[in-house]
Amino acid sequence: MATLNDIAVAAAINILTACAFFVAFAILRIQPVNDRVYFPKWYIKGLRSSPSSGGALVSKFVNLDFRSYVKFLNWMPAALQMPEPELIDHAGLDSAAYLRIYLIGLKIFVPIAFVAFAVMVPVNWTNSTLKNSNVVFSNIDELSISNVPVGSSRFWTHIVMAYAFTLWTCYVLKREYEKVASMRLHFLASDHRRPDQFTVLVRNVPPDPDETVSQLVEHFFLVNHPDHYLTHQVVYNANKLSKLVNEKKKLQNWLDYYQLKLSRNPSKRPSKKTGFLGLWGNRVDAIDFYTSEIERLLKEISSERDKITSNPKSIMPAAFVSFRTRWNAAVCAQTQQSRNPTIWLTEWAPEPRDICWDNLAIPYVSLTIRRLVVAVAFFFLTFFFMIPIAFVQSLANIEGIEKAAPFLKTVIEVKFIKSFIQGFLPGIALKIFLIFLPTILMIMSKFEGFNSISALERRSATRYYIFQFVNVFLGSIITGTAFQQLDKFIHQSANEIPKTIGVSIPMKATFFITYIMVDGWAGVAGEILRLKPLIIYHLKNFFLVKTEKDREDAMDPGTLGFNTGEPQIQLYFLLGLVYAVVSPILLPFIIVFFGLAYVVYRHQIINVYNQEYESAAAFWPDVHGRIITALIVSQLLLMGLLSTKEAAQSTPLLITLPVLTIWFHRFCKGCYEPAFIRYPLQEAMMKDTLERAKEPNLNLKGFLQNAYIHPVFKGEDDSENEAAAEECEKEPAVVPTKRQSRRNTPLPSKYSGSSSSSLPDDTQKMLRP
């Protein structure tokens, strides 16, 4: 059983690690040679130039101003100086809202910690239950609910505190939900004009034997949105072409590398082996080899591009449809288009940067099957992962290791090694297990067919949270303390199991403290050091960079990583809310994490991260929902724990808490969630009216013409698209569709210039401009 001394050793190790990372970062960031690694966002915006462009040779690599070393920690106050409105303009609402998650943690747990240490700790500590029992315990356990005697009236204190903590948490959540919803609406109203504000994604376009998908989409929206439809772009299955283009880019990088190598040593032409990874095969001239391979790929790319544009089967039953105003797009995106609710499905189009182009080629009818397959796969991934987790948690128990490997007993009993194993090793081992999980979950989410990167990350984040809840939280509680008693656990009666789990909850506080220090403190400090991007940048800079453009491409600013970062934060919310009443000693460690992470990630958002997309904080309902889930779990676990303490008279009062929390969640969902799902028509109309007043001659069609073209086509078709964009928005004569079984479309089409003959002459005259 870990003691306060073990926790102190673990804390010292993690504090020293974090301090080492911070000192290394503070020194490395002021070196001119590392400027692009630690300030890439300013370079991308064009607001910063390389400090190594002039001066002495040494000064290009090393900062010779010794005064800057004295102020090496000034990045911390600098990270807090930028006001939130300026931060939103600089980095976007997604980044600002993400930082508010850390602020919520501080707002919730700082007051709770003060109250818990003032009330709960004395109530728990001023008992001698554990001392008078035969249970092995530590100093930390004396500060927990485990030290309160069975049937004691002191449990009323825990119940009252549970109500107080719940009310305070709900109050903070409501204020933040209201604030972020207001920020989102303000951001959408004041944001610069974006293509996704005028565009909807149409899925499941029904097949028609007489018309192509493009013609069918145009005629459908000309008929059903006659005064609002502006233009559209069909979706192509260009996945094979995209792979060829990516392969060409890789080969081009190798060609650039060998050409640079030749320029540095013209007397010797570089060579390579043609076999796997260049390990075997015929040795050939590297430049000639890659030149011929690129020429071959260019022919394949040209052929594949022609095949896609000429083959109707390459056109998917989907399209991006743009409208004349935001109001028109909002109406279309939020209404049913056909009497058959399974066709002509509309939703807001993601912004062009956010689109997952590969998934748009997935047939809509297969999405349900794909999601079922992934759900089954995720179930097995989650519950079979319990096996290595159980092994990791067993490392926290010295007796378990000594039984499994008696020959290690003399080594393990060394005081420092024993403290290291119990206080540091379990957390770091678990962290290593979880490194590869986010990549697996993102692959699963992509297989499901979501059409935007933000949706992929949100779904992956949800699964990551569920995985951590089952394996890291519940798995640690159940397998960690009861590992040696597994045989008893299996054979004991069902009504005895809650007692085993109930006792395990406070006893696992030690493990979670070490996990918070390893993952939270040292992990956050490691994030700001950016060791991996630093090494990769200098390798690229040495071997590949020959122009300023190459140097810009070598920068890796990275992103927030919502799919991994947010579930990690939510684990700390879960731990804080569960242990606030049970074992408050955990709270200071969580508060340090939230405070440290807020400063670090604010610095990274301002100076480093370059977001791939902007969803206007569309993830916030997920954030709110997961904190509510953590709150309900904490209430249910407290109920189960008190039921093992023979507090039968007081326990029923806790039943009200989950009910009130669920009601609160439904209240917030009804009040604020619509702002994250739908776009108010009033806001859209206001924005359109202001835009018409400011820019009466705006060529919106030209602005939207190229916005939703697949990236692999943009290089070839720019001239054609620009010519189309410059055409005036004319309203030609009424034209017929190619469908013989339906009436002619009483509005213009770019596919034909003939007049309608099936409508009366008077009607045609009225429909013509």
Side-chain angles (χ1 to χ4, degrees):
M1 186 67 65
T3 64
L4 283 174
N5 183 55
D6 299 328
I7 296 297
V9 171
I13 292 173
N14 285 282
I15 290 172
L16 288 174
T17 304
C19 289
F21 285 163
F22 281 130
V23 171
F25 161 72
I27 295 173
L28 289 172
R29 68 184 284 271
I30 60 177
Q31 307 307 318
V33 72
N34 298 327
D35 204 58
R36 290 180 180 270
V37 178
Y38 293 109
F39 300 96
K41 193 178 187 74
W42 299 101
Y43 282 92
I44 293 171
K45 286 178 170 286
L47 300 175
R48 192 179 181 99
S49 58
S50 178
S52 61
S53 57
L57 180 62
V58 178
S59 64
K60 293 182 179 181
F61 301 95
V62 180
N63 187 347
L64 300 178
D65 182 7
F66 294 101
R67 290 174 298 179
S68 60
Y69 289 91
V70 178
K71 302 176 181 178
F72 69 97
L73 290 179
N74 63 353
W75 66 269
M76 287 188 174
L80 301 174
Q81 287 175 359
M82 183 179 286
E84 190 172 63
E86 186 179 341
L87 181 66
I88 294 173
D89 291 338
H90 176 70
L93 182 59
D94 280 345
S95 299
Y98 188 85
L99 287 174
R100 294 195 74 88
I101 304 176
Y102 296 109
L103 283 180
I104 288 180
L106 293 173
K107 289 178 180 179
I108 289 176
F109 291 118
V110 170
I112 286 178
F114 276 111
V115 175
F117 273 84
V119 178
M120 304 297 300
V121 170
V123 169
N124 296 333
W125 185 62
T126 54
N127 291 283
S128 56
T129 304
L130 292 175
K131 290 181 180 178
N132 297 331
S133 68
N134 295 324
V135 178
V136 179
F137 65 95
S138 69
N139 314 56
I140 294 175
D141 296 327
E142 292 186 87
L143 305 178
S144 72
I145 198 173
S146 300
N147 202 33
V148 179
V150 173
S152 171
S153 59
R154 294 192 177 195
F155 288 121
W156 284 103
T157 307
H158 299 82
I159 294 174
V160 171
M161 288 297 101
Y163 270 90
F165 296 165
T166 297
L167 291 175
W168 174 249
T169 303
C170 290
Y171 171 76
V172 173
L173 287 177
K174 179 184 177 299
R175 291 288 302 272
E176 288 299 317
Y177 212 155
E178 184 179 10
K179 174 68 175 176
V180 176
S182 175
M183 290 168 61
R184 173 180 167 87
L185 292 176
H186 182 267
F187 179 80
L188 293 175
S190 60
D191 191 27
H192 299 297
R193 182 170 54 251
R194 300 189 314 185
D196 53 293
Q197 297 170 343
F198 300 87
T199 307
V200 300
L201 174 60
V202 183
R203 304 289 293 270
N204 221 25
V205 176
D208 191 289
D210 300 316
E211 290 190 325
T212 65
V213 172
S214 184
Q215 293 168 335
L216 185 60
V217 168
E218 182 188 40
H219 286 130
F220 179 86
F221 283 95
L222 283 172
V223 170
N224 295 287
H225 298 267
D227 299 323
H228 308 146
Y229 167 79
L230 182 61
T231 185
H232 75 278
Q233 176 63 51
V234 294
V235 175
Y236 291 97
N237 183 356
N239 289 354
K240 183 179 178 181
L241 178 60
S242 181
K243 290 178 181 177
L244 291 173
V245 171
N246 291 333
E247 185 179 351
K248 174 186 168 292
K249 288 180 180 178
K250 291 178 182 178
L251 294 179
Q252 186 65 50
N253 286 337
W254 279 110
L255 179 60
D256 292 343
Y257 166 71
Y258 284 113
Q259 286 177 337
L260 179 62
K261 192 174 182 180
L262 178 62
S263 67
R264 290 175 175 173
N265 186 11
S267 61
K268 183 180 179 181
R269 289 184 66 84
S271 62
K272 73 175 297 294
K273 292 182 178 180
T274 57
F276 178 71
L277 295 177
L279 298 177
W280 56 74
N282 298 327
R283 184 168 290 279
V284 297
D285 184 281
I287 294 177
D288 293 342
F289 174 78
Y290 283 111
T291 301
S292 62
E293 286 294 301
I294 290 173
E295 289 176 355
R296 177 184 61 81
L297 276 177
L298 285 173
K299 292 178 182 178
E300 289 186 30
I301 289 171
S302 178
S303 174
E304 182 66 20
R305 183 179 283 112
D306 294 339
K307 179 182 175 182
I308 290 173
T309 53
S310 60
N311 185 4
K313 292 184 179 179
S314 297
I315 302 177
M316 303 304 298
F320 292 99
V321 180
S322 298
F323 294 84
R324 299 180 184 278
T325 64
R326 296 172 181 81
W327 188 91
N328 304 148
V331 170
C332 181
Q334 297 165 181
T335 55
Q336 182 174 314
Q337 303 302 307
S338 170
R339 66 178 65 183
N340 182 351
T342 63
I343 61 175
W344 295 107
L345 304 176
T346 57
E347 59 184 281
W348 278 109
E351 67 162 331
R353 294 181 302 166
D354 192 19
I355 296 173
C356 185
W357 291 100
D358 291 348
N359 282 3
L360 288 179
I362 298 174
Y364 186 81
V365 293
S366 69
L367 294 182
T368 302
I369 299 174
R370 283 170 169 264
R371 288 171 188 177
L372 176 62
V373 170
V374 170
V376 174
F378 177 69
F379 173 83
F380 283 102
L381 174 67
T382 301
F383 288 93
F384 276 90
F385 206 81
M386 288 289 288
I387 297 171
I389 291 292
F391 172 74
V392 170
Q393 296 308 313
S394 69
L395 293 177
N397 194 303
I398 295 294
E399 290 78 12
I401 298 176
E402 291 177 349
K403 286 181 180 179
F407 58 91
L408 294 176
K409 184 173 181 180
T410 55
V411 178
I412 292 173
E413 289 299 327
V414 177
K415 188 174 182 181
F416 175 78
I417 295 177
K418 185 176 182 180
S419 299
F420 178 82
I421 291 174
Q422 290 186 320
F424 188 74
L425 189 60
I428 195 68
L430 181 58
K431 184 68 175 176
I432 292 172
F433 271 120
L434 296 176
I435 284 176
F436 300 102
L437 179 64
T439 303
I440 297 172
L441 295 180
M442 278 296 287
I443 292 172
M444 294 172 71
S445 297
K446 189 172 184 180
F447 180 79
E448 286 186 277
F450 291 100
N451 56 43
S452 66
I453 300 172
S454 58
L456 286 176
E457 291 197 346
R458 289 200 297 273
R459 176 54 66 93
S460 181
T462 299
R463 290 211 167 96
Y464 195 20
Y465 175 73
I466 295 172
F467 183 92
Q468 293 217 98
F469 175 77
V470 173
N471 286 290
V472 179
F473 180 70
L474 291 182
S476 298
I477 288 175
I478 296 172
T479 63
T481 307
F483 195 68
Q484 298 86 358
Q485 302 176 6
L486 188 59
D487 186 60
K488 272 192 202 175
F489 192 78
I490 293 173
H491 293 92
Q492 65 187 181
S493 61
N495 58 358
E496 292 294 319
I497 293 176
K499 293 184 179 180
T500 304
I501 299 175
V503 172
S504 299
I505 294 172
M507 295 297 183
K508 288 307 296 178
T510 302
F511 167 76
F512 286 121
I513 288 173
T514 60
Y515 181 79
I516 291 167
M517 288 189 291
V518 171
D519 183 75
W521 298 6
V524 168
E527 172 66 25
I528 202 170
L529 183 59
R530 306 198 76 225
L531 190 59
K532 180 181 174 182
L534 178 69
I535 295 171
I536 292 175
Y537 170 77
H538 285 299
L539 288 175
K540 287 182 177 180
N541 195 35
F542 182 78
F543 290 108
L544 297 176
V545 169
K546 57 182 178 180
T547 65
E548 277 299 311
K549 180 66 169 60
D550 295 336
R551 190 167 284 105
E552 289 178 8
D553 294 339
M555 292 190 305
D556 179 22
T559 63
L560 278 171
F562 179 83
N563 60 309
T564 56
E566 192 269 347
Q568 284 294 103
I569 304 171
Q570 292 294 345
L571 178 62
Y572 299 127
F573 276 106
L574 177 65
L575 294 176
L577 292 171
V578 166
Y579 281 93
V581 176
V582 174
S583 183
I585 190 65
L586 208 75
L587 294 178
F589 298 91
I590 291 177
I591 291 171
V592 170
F593 162 75
F594 278 116
L596 189 63
Y598 176 74
V599 176
V600 166
Y601 281 97
R602 209 172 200 274
H603 173 275
Q604 299 296 83
I605 284 171
I606 292 172
N607 299 298
V608 181
Y609 297 146
N610 186 43
Q611 281 298 94
E612 295 179 355
Y613 59 84
E614 176 59 59
S615 69
F619 56 78
W620 197 260
D622 295 336
V623 173
H624 176 87
R626 285 195 265 274
I627 298 177
I628 289 292
T629 301
L631 193 58
I632 294 174
V633 168
S634 70
Q635 296 158 357
L636 295 177
L637 290 179
L638 182 61
M639 256 192 287
L641 180 58
L642 289 181
S643 68
T644 67
K645 296 287 189 177
E646 297 181 10
Q649 296 179 349
S650 55
T651 302
L653 290 175
L654 288 174
I655 298 176
T656 311
L657 272 181
V659 176
L660 291 176
T661 306
I662 293 171
W663 174 85
F664 167 77
H665 176 59
R666 292 178 62 86
F667 168 78
C668 290
K669 189 179 179 71
C671 288
Y672 308 118
E673 189 172 310
F676 296 87
I677 299 174
R678 293 184 284 272
Y679 187 39
L681 296 181
Q682 182 185 25
E683 296 286 335
M685 181 61 75
M686 289 171 58
K687 184 68 174 174
D688 290 332
T689 304
L690 288 172
E691 188 171 75
R692 281 195 297 268
K694 293 179 179 179
E695 302 178 73
N697 299 320
L698 173 66
N699 180 12
L700 187 59
K701 188 172 184 178
F703 173 71
L704 297 171
Q705 193 77 35
N706 301 333
Y708 287 97
I709 294 176
H710 197 293
V712 297
F713 293 113
K714 286 188 175 180
E716 294 291 324
D717 298 332
D718 282 347
S719 58
E720 181 182 337
N721 293 329
E722 287 172 8
E726 290 172 0
E727 293 180 0
C728 297
E729 297 179 29
K730 299 177 182 178
E731 299 290 342
V734 179
V735 296
T737 71
K738 294 185 178 181
R739 293 168 291 174
Q740 302 302 317
S741 59
R742 305 187 189 181
R743 296 182 66 186
N744 294 1
T745 303
L747 278 172
S749 171
K750 64 184 178 183
Y751 292 99
S752 173
S754 60
S755 300
S756 174
S757 57
S758 61
L759 295 176
D761 292 340
D762 293 340
T763 305
Q764 291 187 39
K765 290 178 181 178
M766 286 190 298
L767 292 173
R768 290 191 182 98

